Amino acid sequence: MEVRELTEEKSEGTLQPCPQDKIVFDYERGEYICEETGEVIEDKVIDQGPEWRAFTAEEKEKRSRVGGPLNQTIHDRGLSTMIDWRDKDAMGRSLEPKRRLEVLRWRKWQIRARIQSSVDRNLAQAMNELERIGNLLGLPKSVKDEAATIYRKAVERGLVRGRSIESVVAASIYVACRRLKVARSLDEIAQYTKANRKEVARCYRLLLKELSISVPVSNARDYITRIGALLNLSGASMKYAAEILEKAKDMGLTAGKDPAGLAAAAIYIAALLHDERKTQKEIAQVAGVTEVTVRNRYKELVQELKLEIPQQ
């Protein structure tokens, strides 16, 4: 209740109203109190504000829970209103023909209002491409959101101008995979785009340089879970493969080697030792490397780590 209302209500009684500048609110008790007389003007006042505190505009925006969550994979972040394509009202009844034409006109103008500038058109096309590649690769939502954020930064810096949208989107996805340690190679991502691998790699280096993005060094252990799951290997085999790679790293055997090839060789050794035999061809196809790579890494690991492999 406002202070003005409190003073007006009080003036109806026999006592003189309290001055407005003397009425204070006690947050601990939820009471309006007159400093001059000590009288409680109103008690049990419900606080309508949030239960959190914020000291900066950025902190307030981050903690606010008003409205739906923002979706980075939609070009307008999901802030616009969508008019449903089904011509039915709130009760589920079909609209009359005249009303249907009116809703059709609304829908047409709503679509036009969503995409107005060239940047909107670029983002709309890019987000559709990102969603398509992400679904084909089976990427989690966190990776898609990270890739969308990176692409938006590239658009703000003008890095997309003069380059194909597909190649920049693919490079953004690869950066997001590297940052979040999701095992996806550049070849896997490039095969689902019209751009070739060379163009995607060039855009990847451009994003790292211009956006000052730091990515961790690829770790062969990140590929273990994915390769093992695709080959239907047991958890014991995948755990042993990770231990092999850890020993190889301690001995300096992983430096300068393709992480996917090392992971494939470790998986092959672990499968042999746990009687889950898989051919080098099968593992090479799943890991996205050649049989020669798997064979060479296998021989190095067995020789340097002095592993005893049963006769095949």
Side-chain angles (χ1 to χ4, degrees), residues 24-33 40-47:
V24 296
F25 181 67
D26 188 341
Y27 288 93
E28 292 184 1
R29 295 181 174 85
E31 298 172 346
Y32 281 104
I33 304 173
V40 177
I41 299 174
E42 186 176 352
D43 60 351
K44 299 179 181 178
V45 178
I46 299 175
D47 186 3

Side-chain angles (χ1 to χ4, degrees), residues 3-114:
V3 173
R4 186 182 304 164
E5 296 176 0
L6 296 173
T7 56
E8 288 176 357
E9 289 179 4
K10 193 65 183 174
S11 63
E12 295 176 359
T14 57
L15 298 176
Q16 292 295 325
C18 294
Q20 292 187 8
D21 58 341
K22 296 297 183 181
I23 298 176
V24 296
F25 181 67
D26 188 341
Y27 288 93
E28 292 184 1
R29 295 181 174 85
E31 298 172 346
Y32 281 104
I33 304 173
C34 178
E35 286 184 321
E36 198 171 85
T37 64
E39 182 182 0
V40 177
I41 299 174
E42 186 176 352
D43 60 351
K44 299 179 181 178
V45 178
I46 299 175
D47 186 3
Q48 303 290 341
E51 82 284 359
W52 45 263
R53 295 191 303 168
F55 303 99
T56 62
E58 182 180 348
E59 192 176 11
K60 182 178 180 181
E61 182 181 355
K62 186 181 297 183
R63 293 188 177 183
S64 177
R65 294 190 293 271
V66 178
L70 297 180
N71 190 344
Q72 295 292 339
T73 58
I74 301 178
H75 78 280
D76 56 6
R77 293 185 172 89
L79 295 175
S80 63
T81 302
M82 292 295 296
I83 300 178
D84 196 5
W85 58 270
R86 291 170 292 191
D87 295 324
K88 294 184 178 181
D89 60 10
M91 303 298 293
R93 296 172 297 198
S94 297
L95 300 176
E96 298 177 357
K98 184 178 179 181
R99 189 68 170 175
R100 192 177 300 139
L101 291 174
E102 187 177 357
V103 172
L104 180 64
R105 188 165 60 252
W106 292 350
R107 192 180 295 118
K108 184 188 300 182
W109 280 104
Q110 191 268 343
I111 293 173
R112 291 177 181 176
R114 284 188 68 196

Side-chain angles (χ1 to χ4, degrees), residues 135-201:
N135 292 336
L136 289 173
L137 292 170
L139 298 176
K141 188 177 184 302
S142 58
V143 176
K144 295 179 186 178
D145 289 342
E146 179 72 14
T149 303
I150 293 171
Y151 185 84
R152 289 178 188 276
K153 291 180 180 178
V155 172
E156 292 174 1
R157 293 286 190 89
L159 304 180
V160 185
R161 190 179 294 112
R163 297 177 177 85
S164 67
I165 294 176
E166 292 85 357
S167 58
V168 181
V169 168
S172 301
I173 292 175
Y174 184 58
V175 174
C177 290
R178 289 285 301 272
R179 284 177 61 84
L180 299 180
K181 295 187 176 182
V182 176
R184 295 293 186 276
S185 65
L186 192 61
D187 294 318
E188 286 181 88
I189 298 173
Q191 70 178 347
Y192 293 115
T193 66
K194 296 177 183 177
N196 55 33
R197 185 189 185 281
K198 188 176 181 181
E199 181 64 25
V200 176

